[in-house]
Amino acid sequence: MLPELSELLGTSPDAAEQGKLTLLCDAKTDGSFLVHHFLSFYLKANCKVCFVALIQSFSHYNIVGQKMGVSLTTARERGQLVFLEGLKSSVDVFFQPREEPHPLQFLREADAGSLQPLFEFVQEALKPVASGGAAWRCPVLLVDDLSVLLSLGVGAVAVLDFVHYCRAVVCHALKVHSYSEVYLSSWLQSWFIKRLEEEEEQHVDYVKE
């Protein structure tokens, strides 16, 4: 966790905001340090965290986390952290029977049109614990990063639907209703469409060369 950044955002682990959607978008500058900040921040805030990591390995996030004062290994062992390692799971999905569901099942589908298995993984990870289990402050979902899904052939609308339903799961767990959901969905859709157009332009330039 970066104390200076927390102070700038007006937050602290003792007063973590709930029911909020934060979209990190970087251009020409690596903003990955923000992912590490929020991961360590919510672990220190005693939140239940589901982390869908599509960019780096568990060991990478764990090493950085230790430098920021948290142990992802310990958090995972105590049930506070549910970690989906995309790099490793993407290999496993091709060697298990097709009948067995897998969060990244879209990788072996021709059209890669559905993220329902990934959503069900998130839903299961963030469901309220039974009485007698560990009581976490609030559920948190981190995805690093969404643009990878677009690069793997998932449509912008499917990714938008995934964000929408994941947000609904978190809000349901918090028993809050978000009135900003329509605005955010519209904004996100514009962003994804822009990303697709940029990727198509880059592909055309590559073909011309």
Side-chain angles (χ1 to χ4, degrees):
M1 185 183 75
L2 303 174
E4 298 83 359
L5 181 56
S6 295
E7 184 178 351
L8 182 65
L9 297 175
T11 60
S12 69
D14 296 328
E17 293 183 283
Q18 302 181 12
K20 189 174 183 179
L21 171 64
T22 302
L23 180 66
L24 305 179
C25 185
D26 56 17
K28 299 180 180 180
T29 301
D30 185 10
S32 60
F33 72 95
L34 292 170
V35 176
H36 298 293
H37 165 75
F38 284 113
L39 176 58
S40 60
F41 176 88
Y42 285 113
L43 289 177
K44 288 183 178 180
N46 201 38
C47 298
K48 177 65 178 287
V49 179
C50 175
F51 190 10
V52 179
L54 303 174
I55 293 291
Q56 299 286 354
S57 64
F58 177 83
S59 60
H60 169 80
Y61 293 104
N62 190 38
I63 291 172
V64 178
Q66 289 176 347
K67 295 179 180 179
M68 304 182 82
V70 296
S71 171
L72 271 62
T73 301
T74 301
R76 186 165 63 174
E77 289 175 350
R78 63 198 289 248
Q80 182 186 10
L81 173 66
V82 178
F83 191 96
L84 176 62
E85 189 169 356
L87 294 176
K88 182 178 179 180
S89 298
S90 61
V91 177
D92 297 338
V93 70
F94 292 104
F95 293 97
Q96 70 174 27
R98 296 185 66 88
E99 295 74 18
E100 296 182 12
H102 192 283
L104 302 181
Q105 192 166 335
F106 68 89
L107 289 174
R108 58 184 179 190
E109 296 176 353
D111 55 356
S114 175
L115 292 176
Q116 183 175 348
L118 183 57
F119 164 72
E120 291 174 348
F121 171 84
V122 172
Q123 186 178 37
E124 177 67 21
L126 296 180
K127 71 178 182 180
V129 296
S131 57
W136 308 114
R137 177 178 292 180
C138 62
V140 174
L141 170 64
L142 296 174
V143 182
D144 185 23
D145 69 35
L146 284 172
S147 64
V148 171
L149 297 175
L150 296 174
S151 301
L152 292 173
V154 180
V157 174
V159 178
L160 180 63
D161 287 342
F162 172 71
V163 174
H164 173 82
Y165 285 114
C166 286
R167 180 169 170 79
V169 165
V170 173
C171 288
H172 175 73
L174 293 171
K175 295 181 172 57
V176 299
H177 179 72
S178 172
Y179 292 96
S180 60
E181 197 166 293
V182 175
Y183 168 76
L184 284 169
S185 296
S186 176
W187 188 89
L188 280 171
Q189 188 170 18
S190 300
W191 181 80
F192 282 126
I193 291 175
K194 183 179 179 180
R195 285 300 303 271
L196 282 178
E197 292 174 347
E198 291 175 352
E199 290 183 3
E200 289 178 356
E201 291 176 359
Q202 292 175 359
H203 178 70
V204 171
D205 294 338
Y206 175 78
V207 172
K208 288 181 179 179
E209 292 175 359

